[in-house]
Amino acid sequence: MLDPATHDGVRATLDRLHIFCDFDGTISTIDIGSNLFDRFGSRRAEHERRLMAGELPIRDYWRALAEGLRTPMTLEILDEYLRAIPIDEGFAELLAFAHAEAIPFTVASDGFDLYIDRYLRLHGAGDVDIWCNHAELDADGRMAMSFPHATEGCACFSAACKRNVVLLRAHPDERIVYIGDGISDYCPAEHADIIFAKCQLAAYCNAHRLPHYPFKTLADVARQLRLLLSKRRIRVRHQAALKRKKAWEGE
């Protein structure tokens, strides 16, 4: 059974939010988790085809990419690569809004802390709550991976079970905001009260009639949330609440 968290021992009030945000392609302007292995590795497209065809489990997909790195990776090479990738122009505004309103902000990613931590620190956001997969470099520049947030029963294309991240970090009385763009965001979005979507996630929401707000940058998200709070239009989404209840009670 899932055990939802409390924040500082205080029961959340009914009008409070908790923002969960994807990283790759949402906070960063490109999918670093894919682009990194395209640039320094080999055969990513082939591995991705096998993943999407159901021939390769998601964790094996990530390990295959790590094994295919052509260049011994160093932190210096990684930092040089990360410095060249712009961050979403509205990220600072969204984070400032969350801090000003005392809204918890959590990054939920199927990427790896090895680059997510370093990228956010490069942009002055090293104190953000991050739940993702783990990777580290050994002395020979090889990348070792582990998946502390994996769930055996999860059938999503995500090694880190983002649904469980959302359910474990949010108090049952908090309204869950989810922001994302890709396949790994489908499942957590279904459990959210307020969805902000672009790209693949927006197409999924349209196909499955999930109410959502489209966005181009995270500044759009900040402005819409500010408006919803000012008009007190923060409501539970019934279908999401039922899904969360089922999960909390133990599927």
Side-chain angles (χ1 to χ4, degrees):
M1 180 182 293
L2 293 169
D3 181 19
T6 57
H7 302 290
D8 300 324
V10 178
R11 184 176 178 82
T13 59
L14 291 175
D15 60 346
R16 297 309 299 163
L17 303 177
H18 191 135
I19 298 173
F20 292 86
C21 188
D22 171 54
F23 176 80
D24 284 293
T26 302
I27 293 175
S28 60
T29 52
I30 66 169
D31 186 337
I32 297 175
S34 296
N35 186 267
L36 177 68
F37 293 104
D38 280 336
R39 179 164 178 176
F40 299 105
S42 62
R43 300 173 59 194
R44 190 192 69 81
E46 176 188 340
H47 295 317
E48 184 173 343
R49 179 193 61 76
R50 294 183 61 208
L51 170 70
M52 300 307 294
E55 300 170 2
L56 191 66
I58 182 68
R59 279 172 275 180
D60 291 345
Y61 163 78
W62 284 122
R63 292 188 179 107
L65 295 185
E67 291 170 2
L69 284 172
R70 295 188 302 268
T71 304
M73 183 61 64
T74 67
L75 295 179
E76 290 74 21
I77 291 173
L78 181 61
D79 283 345
E80 181 180 5
Y81 165 75
L82 293 175
R83 277 193 289 268
I85 300 171
I87 197 165
D88 182 283
E89 63 186 46
F91 177 65
E93 181 179 342
L94 177 60
L95 203 58
F97 162 77
H99 287 165
E101 297 292 336
I103 299 171
F105 186 97
T106 299
V107 173
S109 174
D110 196 38
F112 294 87
D113 53 5
L114 179 64
Y115 67 81
I116 295 174
D117 286 343
R118 303 182 77 80
Y119 184 83
L120 291 176
R121 284 202 299 271
L122 283 170
H123 292 278
D127 59 344
V128 171
D129 180 37
I130 304 169
W131 286 50
C132 62
N133 303 309
H134 175 69
E136 58 188 46
L137 301 176
D138 65 17
D140 297 320
R142 293 188 296 262
M143 187 181 294
M145 297 174 170
S146 61
F147 306 93
H149 308 301
T151 302
E152 293 302 324
C154 182
C156 299
F157 287 104
S158 183
C161 182
K162 292 187 179 184
R163 183 207 70 169
N164 279 8
V165 171
V166 167
L167 296 176
L168 288 166
R169 292 300 290 154
H171 190 281
D173 288 339
E174 288 179 328
R175 305 297 189 256
I176 294 172
V177 177
Y178 193 86
I179 310 164
D181 77 318
I183 294 174
S184 68
D185 301 310
Y186 294 175
C187 187
E190 288 186 345
H191 292 74
D193 298 300
I194 303 170
I195 305 167
F196 290 91
K198 64 179 181 177
C199 304
Q200 289 171 298
L201 179 58
Y204 179 86
C205 289
N206 287 328
H208 292 79
R209 298 184 179 181
L210 287 175
H212 65 284
Y213 295 97
F215 73 98
K216 292 183 178 179
T217 77
L218 294 174
D220 300 330
V221 176
R223 285 191 288 270
Q224 185 62 50
L225 287 176
R226 195 175 288 114
L227 179 63
L228 291 174
L229 281 176
S230 69
K231 295 186 175 182
R232 303 188 69 83
R233 290 183 179 175
I234 307 299
R235 300 184 179 93
V236 170
R237 188 169 67 84
H238 181 64
Q239 291 300 318
L242 291 178
K243 285 180 176 289
R244 295 196 297 266
K245 183 175 184 294
K246 184 179 179 181
W248 278 321
E249 291 176 348
E251 293 184 301

